[in-house]
Amino acid sequence: MPKPPGKDKAKCFAGVYSSATAVREGAYDAAASFRSPTGCTNATPGERDFLAWCQEERVSFPSSHITVLSSTGRALVASRAIKMGEIVVEVPDDAVLMADNCSIRDILEEEGMCKPADDEILEVQGLIIAVMYEKSLGTQSRWAPYLNLIPDDMTHMPLYWKRRELRELRGTAAFDKMMGKVQYPADAPTQVPLLWSEVVEPFIHEHPKLRLPTGKAGYDLYRWATCAVASYSFILGDDKYQAMVPVWDLLNHITGQVNVRLYHCARRHVLQMIATRDISQGEELVNNYGELSNAELLRGYGFVEAHNVNNHVQVPLGFVVRAATNVLQKNVAAEAGTAATGVGARAAGASAAVGAGHGLPSKPGPGVLRDRMSARLRLARRCGLLPPHRVFKVFACRAPPAIMTALIHVLLASDSEISTLRSAAHRAGMMAVAADQCTGRASRSKGIARSRNERGCQAAMQARTAAVVAAAMDSSDTALKRVGLVYDDVVQRMLGRYSCDVSEDKQLLAAIGRHASVPARMHAAVLARMPEKEALLSLRDSISTVRSLRKSLHSASGLQCNGPEIGGRIAVQVAASKPGIDCMITSLSGERNGDKDAPDESRFAAAQFTFGFKV
Ligand SMILES: C[S@@+](CC[C@H](N)C(=O)[O-])C[C@H]1O[C@@H](n2cnc3c(N)ncnc32)[C@H](O)[C@@H]1O
């Protein structure tokens, strides 16, 4: 069960939003089409200058114009019907603003803030300083008309929210990321006060000739530039150049409605936006900022959506490890208690039974448990069970990622189970490499160039992953019950971090639906945090029985892989330890290599495939 919110949390919620003075009736038109409570940009005074600047810089968007829409605010809209494949925006390479081409490029380079910097975070800070400097030059900057179009007012971004308002985001991915608690910290805004005091303020002091403001004025400019880079910049090309791209950045994001794609024409040195379908006159040109949840949209862009299929909750790896440690500890304690009172393990109930066979001393010190978890995490890493950026994404109404369940299984495994798992994974990896070498030779003889090493490693990793997932599927009901206890612990802890529970969020949204006036930031916070809680509650449902847990492994939703399918398949079949369990490829897509006589799956040169399990 989730921890009920403490008194202080309930008070904070009720005091601010439910009091008669705060909730005014009639200021919200729920019947109108959705408009994010925060973030819709207004027109800015400099639009005419910007259009003249675009002409000078040969930035063109002949089939569209800037307007302000009631649903998304300022936007780029088709002035006439646009055909699929038409170029709708063209920006010469040298019109973009980057750390590498700004007026203080040499200084930024000397300071290690241009590409390639030692740390990705410094590259982002390099662009932020470039934007600060160009902005501070005023009309002297080559990009002045462009920078003037970026709103001066960025207060929709949570970076400007008051502490009390930020508390409403507690528990969300937005909050954790802003605080630098989870995920890779490079992309802004994250740890802003820290980066200001450790990177940017010292830079300003060391370069007084640049006349960048210091103190509060300096921090204000830094905070604005951070928001501008977070919500208006792009990452270009394989080299991942962080850049401000005029006009490209006038497009809003609407999940599922993207109608352009981005392209770099190296021959003509221009960045292009190309229509991906026919677009009618008056229709908004829509970009895709990524598969982002409301919490992520809010942190990075300051807006939220009404219905966002990308909503999910991010479960930090650390939570899973801590929960597994707790479950182990409780089981050891329960067993010790059982032994002391002489009650049989069966009579002591599930708790003691699920701890059986962990092979730990009756009172393991924190060091013992830590070492044990570290060893299991090393195996998990080798088997591809650690998620990107150390967070698992869990969606409502979808099974939890199979690799998350498999990881918990590994974390709880006894020493003897671990050695069996290790050798199964090793065998699977070896088989994958061997199989890959065969298919690699065949592919090369057909003139398909692929990096053998890379493919081999990828195939081995996938096979090891499949082997440990297969082992988790194959484990006893008792072992899966242990996994369920860890999930319960994770869900409970995560739900306990929010400022209130989901029913309070629902009440608030219902009040908004009844035309109650609620502060915009509060409304946005609810739309960011409620789907996360719903995903956690749905996770709890989907792991409530051993059967559903087993099913979640069968769905193998975390096992979508890119790479050579043959190696994966053979190794997976070898890895399945019990007769009757077979792993097969359930879907294939990719580039066909043209060999009509080859078996079905080998006809794909670099395929995307999904492992499925058949029991
Ligand atoms: C890259 S800019 C897009 C252009 C921006 N509307 C403008 O006129 O300057 C990103 C910002 O646009 C706004 N935005 C983008 N998509 C939105 C949406 N679906 N609803 C509301 N605001 C949106 C947010 O303020 C976001 O920070």
Side-chain angles (χ1 to χ4, degrees):
M1 288 293 290
K3 203 170 80 184
K7 268 197 177 156
D8 54 328
K9 295 173 186 170
K11 187 168 153 248
C12 156
F13 180 80
V16 178
Y17 307 103
S18 308
S19 73
T21 48
V23 180
R24 291 193 317 275
E25 297 290 315
Y28 179 85
D29 182 4
S33 71
F34 182 80
R35 173 184 166 94
S36 172
T38 53
C40 295
T41 324
N42 290 318
T44 44
E47 279 177 21
R48 189 180 292 202
D49 289 348
F50 175 69
L51 295 178
W53 180 84
C54 284
Q55 266 194 332
E56 272 168 36
E57 295 282 344
R58 290 171 293 112
V59 173
S60 66
F61 47 110
S63 53
S64 56
H65 62 274
I66 302 171
T67 190
V68 176
L69 300 173
S70 61
S71 52
T72 51
R74 188 168 62 183
L76 209 59
V77 163
S79 313
R80 57 161 173 81
I82 295 171
K83 284 265 163 239
M84 179 172 140
E86 231 180 274
I87 296 167
V88 288
V89 181
E90 216 167 62
V91 184
D93 285 356
D94 69 346
V96 307
L97 169 56
M98 300 189 292
D100 294 73
N101 71 343
C102 70
S103 322
I104 50 168
R105 178 214 131 120
D106 292 347
I107 298 175
L108 289 172
E109 196 161 31
E110 216 170 273
E111 295 285 351
M113 291 173 130
C114 286
K115 208 158 200 44
D118 287 346
D119 191 333
E120 210 183 320
I121 204 160
L122 289 177
E123 288 172 13
V124 181
Q125 297 304 306
L127 178 60
I128 293 173
I129 294 175
V131 169
M132 287 172 75
Y133 184 69
E134 296 297 337
K135 185 76 179 170
S136 73
L137 284 182
T139 51
Q140 302 300 308
S141 167
R142 177 186 162 187
W143 287 277
Y146 162 61
L147 290 175
N148 283 343
L149 203 76
I150 298 177
D152 283 338
D153 181 356
M154 286 281 181
T155 53
H156 55 292
M157 301 284 279
L159 201 52
Y160 284 87
W161 291 18
K162 296 193 177 73
R163 195 182 290 236
R164 167 177 58 78
E165 293 163 331
L166 267 186
R167 266 206 303 266
E168 299 301 335
L169 287 177
R170 215 167 49 192
T172 62
F175 188 85
D176 286 353
K177 185 76 190 286
M178 281 178 67
M179 302 298 159
K181 280 191 188 168
V182 292
Q183 297 184 335
Y184 66 124
D187 74 325
T190 184
Q191 296 180 308
V192 172
L194 184 80
L195 287 165
W196 163 252
S197 61
E198 296 206 347
V199 178
V200 181
E201 200 176 26
F203 175 94
I204 294 174
H205 285 301
E206 275 159 36
H207 301 281
K209 282 194 183 147
L210 300 183
R211 295 168 161 268
L212 277 164
T214 53
K216 183 177 177 316
Y219 183 70
D220 285 348
L221 179 59
Y222 174 64
R223 190 159 58 154
W224 175 84
T226 298
C227 289
V229 167
S231 55
Y232 283 74
S233 73
F234 290 77
I235 295 174
L236 301 178
D238 293 342
D239 293 336
K240 299 197 173 161
Y241 276 91
Q242 191 99 25
M244 307 292 288
V245 186
V247 185
W248 265 21
D249 62 7
L250 278 174
L251 273 77
N252 293 317
H253 164 105
I254 307 175
T255 297
Q257 292 189 32
V258 57
N259 52 19
V260 297
R261 70 182 166 86
L262 311 177
Y263 180 69
H264 181 233
C265 178
R267 187 177 53 82
R268 293 184 46 229
H269 305 289
V270 287
L271 293 155
Q272 298 172 325
M273 229 167 209
I274 300 171
T276 51
R277 59 167 174 80
D278 291 352
I279 301 170
S280 333
Q281 182 178 356
E283 210 181 317
E284 179 171 0
L285 303 188
V286 180
N287 193 6
N288 176 15
Y289 299 174
E291 317 290 286
L292 302 172
S293 68
N294 273 359
E296 290 166 321
L297 286 174
L298 188 58
R299 178 188 70 87
Y301 303 93
F303 74 95
V304 287
E305 296 188 315
H307 305 288
N308 180 353
V309 291
N310 294 317
N311 276 335
H312 62 265
V313 64
Q314 302 194 353
V315 179
L317 175 65
F319 268 65
V320 178
V321 176
R322 224 166 303 142
T325 312
N326 281 343
V327 166
L328 262 181
Q329 239 163 353
K330 275 188 201 152
N331 290 334
V332 173
E335 275 177 22
T338 305
T341 55
V343 184
R346 204 177 287 171
S351 170
V354 294
H358 49 65
L360 279 166
S362 60
K363 275 194 184 156
V368 173
L369 286 169
R370 213 176 25 246
D371 290 351
R372 185 184 168 104
M373 285 299 158
S374 303
R376 276 143 186 74
L377 281 171
R378 279 196 296 277
L379 175 65
R381 180 174 293 115
R382 267 184 63 71
C383 294
L385 301 183
L386 302 192
H389 311 313
R390 302 173 77 79
V391 286
F392 290 102
K393 291 186 176 181
V394 175
F395 292 78
C397 306
R398 281 198 221 167
I403 58 162
M404 189 170 168
T405 307
L407 169 73
I408 299 173
H409 182 247
V410 169
L411 292 178
L412 295 178
S414 66
D415 287 345
S416 70
E417 285 165 336
I418 281 291
S419 77
T420 312
L421 271 176
R422 191 175 282 126
S423 44
H426 179 70
R427 207 170 50 232
M430 298 288 281
M431 288 301 297
V433 171
D436 182 65
Q437 280 169 353
C438 298
T439 52
R441 265 199 296 278
S443 303
R444 272 190 299 283
S445 68
K446 290 178 199 127
I448 296 165
R450 275 186 283 175
S451 153
R452 184 164 137 191
N453 225 352
E454 202 181 296
R455 280 171 17 128
C457 291
Q458 210 182 9
M461 176 71 94
Q462 288 160 7
R464 286 195 292 265
T465 310
V468 283
V469 171
M473 279 173 52
D474 197 17
S475 62
S476 64
D477 284 3
T478 311
L480 278 180
K481 262 189 207 151
R482 290 193 293 182
V483 172
L485 290 177
V486 174
Y487 268 124
D488 270 344
D489 190 302
V490 167
V491 169
Q492 187 164 329
R493 268 164 207 278
M494 290 200 64
L495 282 171
R497 294 194 313 161
Y498 296 97
S499 58
C500 65
D501 69 21
V502 77
S503 62
E504 285 172 279
D505 287 341
K506 284 186 178 160
Q507 277 172 18
L508 190 74
L509 286 186
I512 294 170
R514 289 193 309 271
H515 309 289
S517 164
V518 166
R521 290 175 179 177
M522 176 59 179
H523 186 178
V526 174
L527 289 173
R529 72 192 179 201
M530 196 175 88
E532 293 198 357
K533 296 174 199 172
E534 287 174 334
L536 285 167
L537 293 173
S538 154
L539 171 63
R540 202 169 54 187
D541 282 349
S542 69
I543 48 102
S544 57
T545 62
V546 165
R547 197 160 158 262
S548 53
L549 252 177
R550 213 179 278 287
K551 207 167 128 204
S552 85
L553 281 161
H554 285 211
S555 76
S557 59
L559 271 185
Q560 225 191 29
C561 320
N562 288 308
E565 69 283 6
I566 298 293
R569 180 178 185 148
I570 292 175
V572 166
Q573 281 174 346
V574 170
S577 52
K578 238 191 184 175
I581 294 185
D582 187 18
C583 303
M584 60 178 188
I585 295 155
T586 53
S587 74
L588 277 169
S589 60
E591 221 177 282
R592 284 177 179 269
N593 69 19
D595 179 356
K596 287 199 205 73
D597 300 325
D600 207 29
E601 16 357 315
S602 67
R603 276 197 248 124
F604 292 85
Q608 189 178 59
F609 63 100
T610 311
F611 286 115
F613 294 93
K614 173 172 94 179
V615 183

